Amino acid sequence: KRKRDDEADEAPPWLAAPPEPAGPSADAEEDDDANGSFGADEALAFGTVDRAEVDALLRPELLSLSLSEWSAVSGHDILAMPDQSDKSDRLFGWLLAPLTPQRFEEEVRERRPVHVSRPHDRSYYRGWFGSDELRALLRAPGLTYTDEVDVTRYEGGRRTTLNGEGVAPAEEVLAQQARGCSVRLSWPQRHSTKLWGLLAALEEWFGCGAGCNAYWTPAGTQGFAPHYDDVDVFVLQVEGEKRWTLHPPRSEEELLPRASSVDFEQASLGPPLAELTLSPGDLLYLPRGTVHQARTPPGGPASLHLTVSVSRRHTWRDLLELGLMGALETAAASNVAFRRALPRQHLSYVGAMHSDSTDPRRAEFAQQAHALLSQVLASLPVDAVADQFAVQNWMHERMPPLAPPDDARRLAHGKPNLDARVRMRSRSVARLAVEGELAVLYHHAGNTRVYREIDEPQHIDFDLDAAP
């Protein structure tokens, strides 16, 4: 959110109600239903997960699929197509094939890992990013340890990071890799136009930011300890093979976690969920919370795989955190009860040391807190929160639009004139939000490939009566 000088002590402008219509709607009750209002029983049903579903998440089964032949266009061809409304669907469908995006969303996402084998097309992911590109980047000056390059080894049950300071010299990194260390390159999309385009399409499909790492591991070695991540991951095997061992989430608290785990001891993991080998062209999907480790088999070439990640802090919990802060400000501004002082002696009957007390004031205190909280929930501006969550996260951190060849040629002609035909560069390149007396059009057209390099989301402001 952009903070204006005159709003330091006021509710955020996006919480301000837009101007009232001329009169009440004749269909007010129907309008409430259409806008998503529902009763307490319905809200409870939406806000719970039954025991059977939790048990299934704790004991997921690996879905194994095999693609015998891909007769449609390649991912590279889809990326080069002019922008159209189904482009992200087509590219994601190619990434998953033979699993369809619809089946992924309905049966797989956040529920179970998936292994797709492509024995008849080991070049499926060739040309996106490989060891040749990684070597070339290392030899070009500028990559730095830790921010972009990590050199690691896992042996004897312990992971060791062998990073130096500052710039990562190619000779040093390549020598460590030759001695059995794994090299991780973060943010390869900063340097690869094709990965930029792939991530931009996935951001379009998922409606959230996407990330990418490249892992280059010599034969017979392992770079990282068993762990789980705070993102959903698509593993694209590009070169060599990698032997993966998967374990289910260890507890209900670690289902779909918000933070990545520490490194685990092997003895703490129990029986594996699955053991499998990825060969070039294969895909592995891991929901966040899936404990995993991977080792390159001995006697063969080094392995290089890409991990493409989504859904980092893109949950109901994160959206409601933003919304509840704003809703509390709104409720307190409109109801003096929120601004009254707490009861003078409330610490004499509430708190852990008084949890067994029968003092009737405890019940009164709890009732008042619950009543105020109900008013906060009733003040939750769902549309405004959804807009600001998208703006502060997705629109701010996503990749800039990648112009396919035809569009790049059009853009090269310079600025449009009043007679030019104009269209959106993608179906979600901009989002309109109402903030007080302004209509604010947020966009990501000027973002860079560096994560949040621009200090705030880009925007164009309009008076409400001139809103696009």
Side-chain angles (χ1 to χ4, degrees):
K1 181 180 73 67
R2 296 170 295 111
K3 180 172 282 298
R4 302 179 180 87
D5 292 338
D6 60 353
E7 69 181 37
D9 297 320
E10 300 176 359
W14 52 271
L15 287 170
E20 293 292 332
S25 167
D27 301 315
E29 293 184 4
E30 288 77 6
D31 288 346
D32 285 345
D33 291 338
N35 288 329
S37 300
F38 46 82
D41 291 341
E42 293 171 283
L44 182 61
F46 276 110
T48 58
V49 177
D50 63 39
R51 188 68 246 172
E53 184 174 351
V54 171
D55 290 342
L57 293 173
L58 288 170
R59 293 191 296 272
E61 294 183 0
L62 176 73
L63 174 61
S64 295
L65 301 171
S66 179
L67 179 66
S68 58
E69 183 180 3
W70 177 253
S71 58
V73 295
S74 72
H76 299 293
D77 292 335
I78 297 171
L79 188 62
M81 290 177 175
D83 284 327
Q84 51 195 46
S85 61
D86 66 344
K87 185 172 180 177
S88 62
D89 300 86
R90 297 182 68 176
L91 192 56
F92 189 42
W94 165 83
L95 186 81
L96 296 176
L99 184 65
T100 65
Q102 181 179 357
R103 186 183 178 193
F104 172 81
E105 182 69 17
E106 295 175 353
E107 301 179 17
V108 171
R109 186 181 182 189
E110 297 185 333
R111 296 176 176 87
R112 61 192 302 189
V114 175
H115 172 213
V116 175
S117 175
R118 300 190 177 100
H120 301 290
D121 191 354
R122 292 306 179 194
S123 63
Y124 201 79
Y125 294 131
R126 186 177 300 164
W128 291 92
F129 190 89
S131 57
D132 288 344
E133 289 87 350
L134 180 51
R135 286 189 187 93
L137 284 175
L138 288 169
R139 293 190 173 108
L143 293 182
T144 58
Y145 280 117
T146 305
D147 178 53
E148 295 171 296
V149 176
D150 291 294
V151 178
T152 67
R153 180 194 295 272
Y154 177 77
E155 56 184 359
R158 181 169 175 265
R159 171 191 163 183
T160 304
T161 301
L162 303 170
N163 289 359
E165 296 289 336
V167 174
E171 296 78 8
E172 184 175 289
V173 175
L174 293 173
Q176 293 279 30
Q177 199 268 353
R179 287 194 287 268
C181 292
S182 183
V183 177
R184 175 174 63 187
L185 175 67
S186 301
W187 323 102
Q189 65 272 23
R190 293 179 181 175
H191 314 281
S192 166
T193 299
K194 290 182 178 179
L195 288 182
W196 166 16
L198 177 63
L199 264 61
L202 292 179
E203 289 174 337
E204 183 89 17
W205 200 90
F206 281 96
C208 66
C212 186
N213 291 331
Y215 295 84
W216 190 27
T217 308
T221 68
Q222 181 171 333
F224 294 86
H227 67 282
Y228 62 72
D229 295 315
D230 62 345
V231 287
D232 293 347
V233 169
F234 299 90
V235 179
L236 285 58
Q237 189 68 28
V238 180
E239 300 173 9
E241 294 185 339
K242 208 71 175 281
R243 182 69 176 170
W244 289 77
T245 302
L246 311 180
H247 295 266
R250 304 185 309 162
S251 66
E252 189 170 338
E253 291 73 22
E254 294 180 357
L255 288 174
L256 306 178
R258 196 166 183 264
S260 297
S261 73
V262 299
D263 292 344
F264 294 131
E265 298 286 341
Q266 297 286 353
S268 70
L269 297 177
L273 157 67
E275 294 178 288
L276 55 97
T277 298
L278 290 187
S279 298
D282 291 354
L283 169 77
L284 179 64
Y285 165 73
L286 300 176
R288 57 195 184 279
T290 304
V291 179
H292 57 276
Q293 57 183 312
R295 183 177 184 85
T296 304
S303 164
L304 188 138
H305 73 264
L306 303 171
T307 61
V308 176
S309 58
V310 295
S311 298
R312 182 180 183 273
R313 302 202 172 181
H314 184 71
T315 68
W316 282 101
R317 177 249 188 260
D318 298 294
L319 182 140
L320 290 174
E321 179 180 39
L322 175 66
L324 289 173
M325 288 191 299
L328 179 59
E329 293 292 336
T330 297
S334 61
N335 186 347
V336 70
F338 284 88
R339 306 194 296 275
R340 291 189 181 279
L342 294 170
R344 183 177 63 85
Q345 295 182 331
H346 73 282
L347 294 180
S348 66
Y349 52 84
V350 294
M353 62 187 296
H354 302 294
S355 58
D356 295 331
S357 171
T358 59
D359 191 318
R361 292 176 296 177
R362 283 179 56 81
E364 295 174 5
F365 190 92
Q367 289 171 0
Q368 177 68 0
H370 291 161
L372 293 174
L373 181 58
S374 296
Q375 294 185 42
V376 171
L377 296 178
S379 301
L380 186 69
V382 175
D383 290 327
V385 173
D387 285 338
Q388 290 302 315
F389 187 73
V391 165
Q392 296 181 26
N393 295 283
W394 183 40
M395 202 62 71
H396 190 191
E397 66 191 31
R398 65 189 295 197
M399 302 292 286
L402 173 62
D406 287 347
D407 287 350
R409 284 189 288 271
R410 294 188 182 96
L411 291 170
H413 291 317
K415 295 182 179 180
N417 55 43
L418 292 178
D419 296 324
R421 297 177 63 189
V422 178
R423 66 169 172 81
M424 305 283 276
R425 294 188 61 180
S426 72
R427 58 182 170 181
S428 61
V429 70
R431 186 168 190 89
L432 183 67
V434 175
E435 300 185 4
E437 297 299 319
L438 291 177
V440 185
L441 188 69
Y442 289 97
H443 64 90
H444 71 111
N447 285 8
T448 75
R449 289 192 254 178
V450 177
Y451 179 77
R452 289 183 180 259
E453 185 176 39
I454 297 175
D455 291 337
E456 63 178 23
Q458 300 161 89
H459 54 86
I460 305 170
D461 295 355
F462 299 86
D463 289 332
L464 279 179
D465 58 1

